[in-house]
């Protein structure tokens, strides 16, 4: 699982940029989600969303009989249906389990969020427990077959509704067959999702996010010291520098990327390596699931595949945007992406310092694997 700790801190930077705190953001989120919900419908969503989920052909597409040859499938398509059937034990039922979760539980979880989320910690805890954990449990029952089946669905999509889409179907097929780097996309998705499927990692990651939320709340609490290890407030100076560097990139382009990267690494290093806070960071954010995730990212060359995706997207954007500066893609190098991901590994980030509790934890996790 990607190191969400510091990535989530970037949300704090965004809050600061727009002068908004957790309560303002929560109110906006609740308002938006509330517009999607309607307890009078079968699914708990508003009539527009409910219409598509409640359709019989939607259920038939996702809850297919794996013992019967597929001859029609409105949304998934028979290629996708067959991909999940052939993906291994338990995978044939995966689309139906996801559909049933969306039909029966998703709106309830969102309603609970609207009614009960009072701060960032409680909001993230609700999402982690009510949405992330059940969905990832379904995915992990089918992993690793889930990843191959999903991208076979994308590559060979033949849902019946596409026959009525005219030129849209041709555009989609052109994108998939000739323009999108689906191999890189699949590698990235697999690397990011796979760590959660080991042991009790779904719960460990959920707890980590909730702890992040608690530290985020304390960041906006005037009573909490700027030096406290229980708050992201101790990164205020580094976050301000990062915010300024990010604004420079937005205003002046990717030629400011080097300054952005340096500010990002400084912020990461302060967060992870500050000696007085290492114990807190270790116990809160760096368990064996986290250590295993870093190992998987390296094994699956996550940095390399993210770079491929960036270059692929830049190429597509240059074709779609007439006056786009085509040199942008050249300025985002593999070395830049490598440095970004290297800064996400506290074992390496804090190496050479007087204290590196993450190295000790990493060795412990490796010993438990043997």
């Amino acid at each position: 699982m990607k190191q969400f700790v510091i990535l989530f801190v970037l949300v704090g930077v965004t809050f600061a940029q727009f002068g908004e705190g957790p309560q303002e953001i929560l109110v906006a989120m609740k308002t938006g989600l509330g517009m999607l919900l309607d307890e009078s419908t079968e699914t708990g969503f508003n009539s527009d969303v409910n219409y598509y989920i409640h359709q019989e052909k939607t259920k038939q597409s996702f809850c297919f009989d794996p013992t019967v040859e597929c001859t029609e499938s409105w949304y998934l398509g028979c290629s996708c249906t067959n991909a999940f059937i052939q993906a291994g034990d338990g995978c044939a039922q995966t689309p139906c389990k996801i559909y049933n979760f969306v039909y029966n539980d998703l709106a309830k979880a969102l309603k609970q969020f609207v009614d009960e989320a009072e701060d960032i910690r409680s909001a993230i805890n609700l999402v982690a427990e009510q949405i992330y954990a059940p969905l990832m449990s379904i995915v992990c029952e089918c992993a690793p077959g889930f990843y191959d089946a999903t991208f076979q669905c994308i590559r060979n999509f033949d849902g019946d509704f596409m026959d009525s889409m005219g030129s849209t179907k041709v555009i989609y097929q052109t994108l998939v067959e000739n323009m999108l780097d689906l191999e890189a996309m699949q590698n990235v998705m697999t690397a990011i999702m796979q760590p959660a499927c080991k042991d009790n990692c779904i719960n460990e990651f959920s707890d980590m996010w909730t702890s992040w939320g608690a530290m985020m709340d304390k960041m906006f609490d005037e009573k909490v010291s700027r030096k406290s290890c229980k708050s992201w407030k101790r990164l205020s100076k580094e976050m301000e520098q990062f915010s300024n560097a990010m604004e420079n990139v937005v205003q002046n382009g990717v030629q400011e990327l080097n300054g952005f990267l340096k500010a990002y690494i400084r912020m990461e290093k302060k967060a992870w390596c500050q000696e007085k806070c290492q114990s807190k960071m270790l116990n809160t954010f760096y368990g064996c699931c986290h250590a295993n995730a870093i190992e998987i990212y390296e094994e699956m060359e996550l940095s390399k595949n993210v770079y491929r995706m960036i270059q692929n997207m830049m190429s597509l954007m240059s074709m779609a945007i007439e006056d786009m500066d085509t040199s942008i893609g050249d300025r985002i190098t593999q070395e830049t992406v490598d440095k970004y991901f290297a800064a996400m590994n506290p074992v390496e980030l804090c190496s050479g310092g007087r204290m590196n509790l993450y190295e000790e934890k990493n060795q412990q996790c490796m010993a438990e694997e043997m």
Side-chain angles (χ1 to χ4, degrees), residues 298-315:
E298 293 174 353
E299 289 176 355
M300 299 201 64
E301 299 183 308
L302 179 59
S303 177
K304 177 181 177 180
N305 283 290
V306 167
Y307 174 70
R308 284 175 55 182
M309 283 182 57
I310 292 172
Q311 294 302 311
N312 185 218
M313 292 301 105
M314 289 295 178
S315 176

Side-chain angles (χ1 to χ4, degrees), residues 47-59 75 99:
S47 58
D48 292 333
V49 178
N50 183 76
Y51 171 78
Y52 289 101
I53 300 175
H54 186 60
Q55 283 183 326
E56 183 62 27
K57 57 186 174 185
T58 304
K59 182 176 181 179
Y75 288 116
Y99 170 81

Side-chain angles (χ1 to χ4, degrees), residues 30 45 90 100 112-113 247 280 350:
K30 288 183 176 186
F45 287 101
N100 285 334
Q112 187 175 355
F113 182 97
E247 188 174 348
K280 169 66 176 177
C350 304

Side-chain angles (χ1 to χ4, degrees), residues 172-229:
Y172 176 83
Q173 290 174 333
T174 301
L175 279 171
V176 169
E177 294 173 7
N178 304 311
M179 301 173 76
L180 291 177
D181 189 345
L182 293 180
E183 181 182 43
M185 292 179 183
Q186 180 175 347
N187 289 339
V188 169
M189 184 188 83
T190 303
I192 290 175
M193 297 182 71
Q194 186 172 317
C197 295
K198 182 174 181 177
D199 302 328
N200 193 41
C201 289
I202 292 175
N203 292 331
E204 183 172 314
F205 290 135
S206 295
D207 291 343
M208 182 184 76
W209 297 342
T210 301
S211 297
W212 171 86
M215 292 178 70
M216 198 72 196
D217 288 326
K218 289 183 174 67
M219 176 180 166
F220 294 93
D221 187 343
E222 294 180 357
K223 299 177 182 178
V224 175
S225 169
R226 293 171 67 91
K227 297 181 180 180
S228 172
C229 296

Side-chain angles (χ1 to χ4, degrees), residues 257 303 307 310-311 328-339:
L257 200 58
S303 177
Y307 174 70
I310 292 172
Q311 294 302 311
I328 292 177
D330 297 332
R331 295 171 187 167
I332 302 176
T333 65
Q334 179 68 68
E335 182 182 8
T336 302
V337 180
D338 288 343
K339 287 180 179 179

